[in-house]
Amino acid sequence: MKKLINNVENVVLDQVQGLVASRQTLKLNQHPCYIWHEESPRQVALVSGGASGHEPMHTGYVGEGMLTGAVPGEIFIRATPDQIYECASKVSRDEGVLFLVKNYVGDGMNFKLAVELLHADGVKVGAVLIDDDIAVNDSLYTSGRRGMTGTVLVEKIVGAAAAKGYSLEQCEELGRRVNNNCRSISVALSPCTVPAADQPSFELGNNEIEFGIGIHGEPGIERIEFTSANDVVDKMFVALKENIPYSRTLPVWDKEEGGWDDLESSVDDFESEHDYIAIVNGLGGTPKSELYVVYKRLAENCERENFRLARNLVGEYCTALNMEGISITLLKADKEMIDLFDAPVNTAAMTW
Amino acid sequence: MKKLINNVENVVLDQVQGLVASRQTLKLNQHPCYIWHEESPRQVALVSGGASGHEPMHTGYVGEGMLTGAVPGEIFIRATPDQIYECASKVSRDEGVLFLVKNYVGDGMNFKLAVELLHADGVKVGAVLIDDDIAVNDSLYTSGRRGMTGTVLVEKIVGAAAAKGYSLEQCEELGRRVNNNCRSISVALSPCTVPAADQPSFELGNNEIEFGIGIHGEPGIERIEFTSANDVVDKMFVALKENIPYSRTLPVWDKEEGGWDDLESSVDDFESEHDYIAIVNGLGGTPKSELYVVYKRLAENCERENFRLARNLVGEYCTALNMEGISITLLKADKEMIDLFDAPVNTAAMTW
């Protein structure tokens, strides 16, 4: 295995140190590991994190107009409760802290624990669970749906809202609304290799692709024969469009009393004659040029269905190490979301 | 071979159509293929191009503050003279057209022919040849040094200068000055696969890397054993720092009389106590996180030598399809270059 790392024990810290060295505004705490940036004390602090290996998610999104702090776990391993708790304690202000959490069992557990610890400290805190990946609802590896590239849009849009002075409750409601209007699906053309494992995380035949792959290499919906980019994109689009609106119970923290309530929450329908924000995302090993082949076909599909592509991102936003493949995300966006998407942002991975 | 393309004959057009679909300000001419954007008629038009497969170079750099037009050749094949000529004719204004050309025999020939055709049409035209890759001076595949990731800095800095109203002669002089202060070197951990070839362009052993690889898979300086990211970066840094100042004769177009003159031109020395702009560039298949391991070690090397890293880019700027590997570029930058680097830019691949 050749990887541009030094040793597997130290790989995440090495990477994060490099990121912080490259941007003057970022600050690093090494033990436990988290990064943050100084911002107005008069806004909600946003913290995200979880397994490393999905860069630029989440560390690349810390900065003005997006995340206040991020906690990188080891490669494909959740962040620890003390990482999350200490990062949030560092950045919390009067307006409170909001966690943006991809829906994996381990992440959910550790962020929930951090919420409880912060509440005990008297910190106003909330959490939004993100479950945009429509591939599987439950499996050996996941409870409910997985969080994926849609997380980038939640972080961008809620980040802009926080910078504009939205309250914690408003940020939380907005985050849930973005998540409920957001769907992602991915395919793998080749597996990824975790440094510590030293071998590919699964195998694919010469002409096989995994439809609905998870970003840690979790199984998707089916293995299919690869024919052409257009066929793959068409199949992904149908999956996104026809996804049956999905209801599930999400945990919500009671900020006054403490304790978790159940929120019955539905994924919204996709509709024609509506604005959408699209992400065509490379999973790590896919040439950028191919992402534009995908975007072209996605745009054709959207045009046929009268989905108006109001904004788009084409690039690497949520990866799975060196996996060859892509994800497509569609967010049914209202004017508020589009305005917040357009708001200025200044991070390592997203700047405008 | 699985690639997110539809057919090898159409791959570049598909990609460029996707790019243009994703950005409202870009315009496409299909036959011959070139893209451009409308800008002030009162500035020098900048045109670059060459083989596809290096995305986002060059098409991703068309837009405000950078290129006016770009001509994408087929994958790893130079642009044709009529592509170049027609693109330049489309975007040329009173202030003239400047070509920014990576130094490969075929590119040089075709851009020179386009210069002669434009001159015959009465268009004021100039060209800067870029040869920042220090790996090889001459080889079977190249005459002189190859052009590589440093091209991004020439395009960014001269693009900002053109937008500020520099004359054609000033843009040309600035472009040569940036090139003469700019050095790049790359390594490959794995080969790339050209769609039409359907097999990797070369082979590397399990633990071998190619030091000084070219961005079309041309041979480098040597094959070495891979030990660690830090060892690789240290060796690249030494190569960049100790590169012996290099004189060569570059062609310069006589704008008044027509005809090519020889310009004796030297690569400038690298010095301590000076500002530098660095690019840590992924060649296509390298996870973004690993680029930060590389940046960290580069920054340590620069600090030891008192090279001040005034600015940096870490990402994919000049790729070789799906090749795993990186390039490092260092530009010894004066205040004018840094100010122009900082100037606003709005393109698919670079925005601030």
Side-chain angles (χ1 to χ4, degrees):
Chain A
M1 181 191 63
K2 289 171 286 187
K3 282 183 174 286
L4 288 166
I5 63 173
N6 291 302
N7 61 66
V8 292
E9 290 77 28
N10 221 27
V11 59
V12 171
L13 189 57
D14 242 17
Q15 293 169 354
V16 176
Q17 285 173 333
L19 173 65
V20 171
S22 75
R23 294 185 62 86
Q24 288 186 337
T25 55
L26 294 180
K27 293 168 196 302
L28 169 67
N29 192 75
Q30 295 203 15
H31 304 289
C33 182
Y34 61 85
I35 69 169
W36 82 101
H37 79 117
E38 299 279 359
E39 63 187 13
S40 159
R42 303 207 46 75
Q43 71 164 75
V44 174
L46 294 185
V47 173
S48 190
S52 290
H54 308 305
E55 289 70 24
M57 181 179 281
H58 300 270
T59 49
Y61 300 129
V62 176
E64 283 168 59
M66 218 160 159
L67 298 178
T68 317
V71 285
E74 293 303 311
I75 304 261
F76 288 3
I77 296 175
R78 64 196 173 191
T80 60
D82 65 314
Q83 276 183 291
I84 305 166
Y85 169 73
E86 293 210 17
C87 178
S89 299
K90 182 80 198 177
V91 301
S92 83
R93 299 288 184 273
D94 291 350
E95 302 304 318
V97 179
L98 181 63
F99 289 134
L100 303 175
V101 187
K102 299 196 299 304
N103 188 38
Y104 297 92
V105 178
D107 293 72
M109 264 172 42
N110 289 357
F111 273 94
K112 276 170 121 173
L113 191 52
V115 164
E116 292 163 20
L117 292 168
L118 288 161
H119 180 81
D121 289 351
V123 174
K124 197 174 160 192
V125 59
V128 174
L129 219 54
I130 300 159
D131 60 349
D132 58 307
D133 183 351
I134 62 163
V136 293
N137 284 348
D138 284 298
S139 81
L140 261 179
Y141 300 84
T142 178
S143 170
R145 288 182 176 178
R146 303 177 296 220
M148 207 170 53
T149 318
T151 310
V152 179
L153 294 176
V154 179
E155 293 178 357
K156 172 66 187 82
I157 290 169
V158 180
K164 278 190 198 300
Y166 280 43
S167 71
L168 177 58
E169 290 77 6
Q170 289 171 321
C171 286
E172 200 171 5
E173 184 278 328
L174 175 66
R176 293 210 174 93
R177 193 149 44 87
V178 172
N179 182 50
N180 277 337
N181 282 282
C182 191
R183 302 178 190 173
S184 300
I185 183 92
S186 29
V187 295
L189 278 67
S190 80
C192 55
T193 302
V194 177
D198 202 13
Q199 57 182 8
S201 50
F202 56 94
E203 282 182 21
L204 279 172
N206 263 342
N207 214 28
E208 258 181 353
I209 63 175
E210 177 89 14
F211 191 80
I213 189 80
I215 52 171
H216 311 87
E218 301 97 327
I221 306 168
E222 55 176 333
R223 288 202 174 182
I224 58 174
E225 195 194 340
F226 178 76
T227 47
S228 71
N230 285 356
D231 286 350
V232 172
V233 175
D234 291 352
K235 190 174 164 75
M236 293 171 84
F237 183 78
V238 168
L240 290 170
K241 179 172 75 81
E242 300 194 344
N243 180 248
I244 293 154
Y246 168 75
S247 285
R248 73 288 198 217
T249 305
L250 294 174
V252 175
W253 180 249
D254 181 331
K255 291 172 195 61
E256 305 307 320
E257 306 289 321
W260 295 97
D261 297 332
D262 285 340
L263 178 71
E264 196 62 37
S265 178
S266 280
V267 172
D268 275 19
D269 242 340
F270 273 8
E271 300 159 46
S272 290
E273 311 291 346
H274 205 289
D275 286 333
Y276 288 82
I277 300 176
I279 306 181
V280 172
N281 173 61
L283 290 178
T286 299
K288 184 141 190 157
S289 52
E290 294 179 17
L291 303 182
Y292 283 107
V293 176
V294 171
Y295 183 79
K296 179 188 167 192
R297 189 62 166 191
L298 174 65
E300 289 166 357
N301 274 288
C302 287
E303 193 173 350
R304 195 189 57 240
E305 297 293 331
N306 269 311
F307 288 15
R308 294 190 301 263
L309 285 179
R311 301 290 184 276
N312 69 77
L313 296 172
V314 181
E316 293 190 331
Y317 294 94
C318 169
T319 62
L321 295 169
N322 59 339
M323 189 184 286
E324 289 183 76
I326 53 159
S327 68
I328 296 178
T329 298
L330 286 175
L331 167 65
K332 193 178 77 174
D334 56 28
K335 185 171 181 312
E336 179 187 23
M337 293 179 198
I338 292 175
D339 287 346
L340 291 167
F341 179 84
D342 286 344
V345 59
N346 189 357
T347 69
M350 209 184 277
T351 294
W352 57 72
Chain B
M1 180 191 63
K2 288 170 287 186
K3 282 183 174 287
L4 288 165
I5 63 173
N6 292 303
N7 61 67
V8 292
E9 291 75 28
N10 221 27
V11 59
V12 171
L13 189 58
D14 242 17
Q15 292 169 354
V16 176
Q17 285 172 333
L19 172 66
V20 171
S22 75
R23 294 187 62 87
Q24 290 186 337
T25 55
L26 294 181
K27 293 168 196 301
L28 169 67
N29 192 76
Q30 295 202 18
H31 305 289
C33 182
Y34 61 85
I35 69 169
W36 83 102
H37 78 118
E38 300 278 0
E39 63 188 10
S40 160
R42 302 208 47 75
Q43 71 164 74
V44 174
L46 293 185
V47 173
S48 191
S52 290
H54 308 305
E55 289 70 24
M57 183 177 279
H58 301 270
T59 49
Y61 300 130
V62 176
E64 284 166 58
M66 218 162 159
L67 298 179
T68 317
V71 285
E74 293 303 312
I75 305 258
F76 288 5
I77 296 175
R78 64 195 174 193
T80 60
D82 66 315
Q83 275 183 292
I84 305 166
Y85 168 72
E86 292 209 20
C87 179
S89 299
K90 181 80 197 176
V91 301
S92 83
R93 298 288 184 273
D94 292 349
E95 302 303 317
V97 179
L98 181 63
F99 289 133
L100 302 176
V101 187
K102 299 195 298 305
N103 188 39
Y104 297 92
V105 178
D107 293 71
M109 264 173 42
N110 288 358
F111 273 95
K112 276 171 122 172
L113 191 52
V115 164
E116 291 163 21
L117 292 168
L118 288 162
H119 180 80
D121 289 349
V123 175
K124 197 173 161 191
V125 58
V128 174
L129 220 53
I130 300 159
D131 60 349
D132 57 307
D133 182 351
I134 63 164
V136 292
N137 284 348
D138 285 299
S139 81
L140 261 180
Y141 300 84
T142 179
S143 170
R145 286 181 176 180
R146 303 178 295 220
M148 206 168 53
T149 318
T151 310
V152 179
L153 295 176
V154 179
E155 293 179 359
K156 173 65 188 83
I157 290 168
V158 179
K164 277 190 198 301
Y166 281 42
S167 70
L168 178 59
E169 290 77 6
Q170 288 171 322
C171 286
E172 201 171 6
E173 183 279 327
L174 175 66
R176 292 209 174 94
R177 193 148 46 86
V178 172
N179 182 50
N180 278 336
N181 282 282
C182 190
R183 302 177 191 174
S184 299
I185 183 95
S186 32
V187 294
L189 277 66
S190 79
C192 55
T193 302
V194 177
D198 202 14
Q199 57 182 9
S201 51
F202 56 93
E203 282 183 21
L204 279 172
N206 263 342
N207 214 28
E208 258 181 355
I209 63 176
E210 177 89 15
F211 190 81
I213 189 80
I215 52 171
H216 311 86
E218 303 97 324
I221 305 168
E222 55 176 333
R223 289 204 172 180
I224 57 174
E225 194 194 343
F226 178 76
T227 47
S228 71
N230 285 355
D231 286 350
V232 172
V233 175
D234 290 351
K235 189 173 165 74
M236 293 172 85
F237 184 79
V238 168
L240 290 170
K241 180 173 74 82
E242 300 194 344
N243 179 248
I244 291 154
Y246 169 74
S247 286
R248 73 286 199 222
T249 305
L250 293 175
V252 175
W253 180 249
D254 181 329
K255 290 171 196 59
E256 305 306 321
E257 306 288 322
W260 295 97
D261 296 332
D262 286 340
L263 177 72
E264 195 64 38
S265 179
S266 280
V267 172
D268 275 19
D269 241 338
F270 273 8
E271 299 159 46
S272 290
E273 312 289 346
H274 204 288
D275 285 333
Y276 289 81
I277 300 176
I279 306 181
V280 173
N281 173 61
L283 290 178
T286 299
K288 184 142 190 156
S289 52
E290 295 179 16
L291 303 181
Y292 283 107
V293 176
V294 171
Y295 183 80
K296 179 189 167 189
R297 189 62 167 192
L298 173 64
E300 289 167 357
N301 274 289
C302 286
E303 193 175 349
R304 196 190 55 241
E305 297 293 331
N306 269 311
F307 288 15
R308 293 190 302 262
L309 285 179
R311 300 290 184 277
N312 68 77
L313 296 172
V314 181
E316 294 190 330
Y317 294 95
C318 168
T319 63
L321 295 169
N322 60 338
M323 188 185 286
E324 289 183 75
I326 52 159
S327 67
I328 296 178
T329 297
L330 286 175
L331 166 64
K332 193 178 76 175
D334 56 29
K335 185 172 180 313
E336 180 187 23
M337 293 179 199
I338 292 175
D339 287 346
L340 292 167
F341 179 85
D342 286 344
V345 60
N346 188 358
T347 70
M350 209 184 277
T351 295
W352 57 72

